[in-house]
Amino acid sequence: MAKFGESDDLAGAEFVGANLRGARFVESDLSGVVMRGIDLQGADIDAPWIVEPGGSLKVNGVEVSGYVEDELNRRFPGRAERRAKDPDGLRAAWAAVERTWATAIDRVATMPSGTADVSVGGEWSFAQTLRHLVHAIDLWFGRSVLEREDFHPLGLRYGVAGSPDHPPYAEVLEAHAGRFGLVRDFIATVTPAELDTARKNPHNAKPETTRSCLHVILEEAWEHYRFATRDLDSIAAS
């Protein structure tokens, strides 16, 4: 099986009559790809950014990003509020996130022991997903908003796949609850002026505000909930 990685530059490549049946593209840049006369039966596309403002995906000439966004909001009540701009809206948005994740955690508690550490298709396990959210909050809230440099030792940064360590799940739950609580307590008293306060982007020089940093955390929470429950469904079905 041929395998291509970051060192392989396939930008602008042309595939004519090529057999890509069963191929897997992970964290790859397919923006602007043009496909004509292709067989896409059974394809499974996960592209979170197509539903962001300005995102686009056309199938047979039909723009489908809006349909995808509406369906995701229907499936996940509360998701539509993730870009709320005022304090009350953000409080409601965060409360929805906490309720949603509490339901997922309760579900895992009813599944066979060890389910939280099961990886599906090389993706993060449920426990690793919780650990990544801990890191995301430390990065976009702890560092950018609170201007703290300490990171929870259980946090799992982006790009770390298949981490071999499996800390006790109870400790992961505690770390996750603690970081969610930090955000909840902050949003409970945040003011419009504080939401407009300029913040540093932890990755680059792009200007941010407290509001936009909270939006990133909300986006992370919803996208990873979708990934996590997708995999829980697979585990339950097997």
Side-chain angles (χ1 to χ4, degrees):
M1 178 185 68
K3 188 171 184 178
F4 303 95
E6 292 183 11
S7 61
D8 299 294
D9 186 0
L10 298 177
E14 184 169 341
F15 301 89
V16 179
N19 183 2
L20 296 178
R21 181 184 293 270
R24 185 177 179 86
F25 301 88
V26 180
E27 297 177 7
S28 299
D29 185 356
L30 299 180
S31 57
V33 166
V34 176
M35 304 180 186
R36 295 288 185 260
I38 61 168
D39 185 354
L40 206 61
Q41 298 295 333
D44 184 354
I45 301 174
D46 202 303
W49 297 280
I50 67 166
V51 299
E52 290 185 351
S56 174
L57 176 65
K58 290 183 178 179
V59 178
N60 292 348
V62 179
E63 177 61 56
V64 301
S65 60
Y67 294 104
V68 173
E69 173 76 341
D70 291 344
E71 177 61 16
L72 288 176
N73 288 339
R74 185 190 68 80
R75 292 186 182 188
F76 305 117
R79 179 182 179 276
E81 311 306 318
R82 69 194 188 284
R83 298 191 184 104
K85 298 185 180 301
D86 59 89
D88 286 341
L90 285 167
R91 282 189 274 272
W94 190 251
V97 161
E98 293 209 80
R99 288 193 303 270
T100 300
W101 271 101
T103 299
I105 290 171
D106 288 346
R107 177 185 180 185
V108 172
T110 68
M111 299 175 76
S113 177
T115 293
D117 288 320
V118 174
S119 171
V120 176
E123 302 286 349
W124 278 334
S125 68
F126 188 82
Q128 288 172 324
T129 300
L130 295 181
R131 292 172 58 193
H132 174 66
L133 291 179
V134 168
H135 176 77
I137 290 172
D138 279 343
L139 192 65
W140 285 93
F141 180 67
R143 174 176 286 182
S144 293
V145 177
L146 300 183
E147 300 181 351
R148 293 178 2 184
E149 291 299 322
D150 56 309
F151 283 76
H152 197 289
L154 292 185
L156 193 63
R157 60 182 170 78
Y158 180 77
V160 178
S163 177
D165 63 316
H166 296 291
Y169 183 51
E171 293 182 12
V172 174
L173 289 177
E174 182 180 5
H176 175 264
R179 289 308 191 257
F180 265 42
L182 279 178
V183 178
R184 182 199 320 125
D185 291 345
F186 177 82
I187 293 178
T189 59
V190 73
T191 66
E194 288 173 321
L195 290 176
D196 289 331
T197 300
R199 303 295 182 184
K200 290 183 179 179
N201 185 300
H203 297 303
N204 52 53
K206 177 186 174 184
E208 303 287 351
T209 62
T210 301
R211 181 185 294 102
S212 63
C213 289
L214 292 174
H215 284 172
V216 172
I217 296 170
L218 283 161
E219 192 77 39
E220 287 274 318
W222 280 111
E223 287 303 306
H224 285 287
Y225 171 79
R226 181 168 63 84
F227 302 151
T229 52
R230 173 200 64 195
D231 291 347
L232 290 180
D233 290 342
S234 296
I235 294 170
S238 63

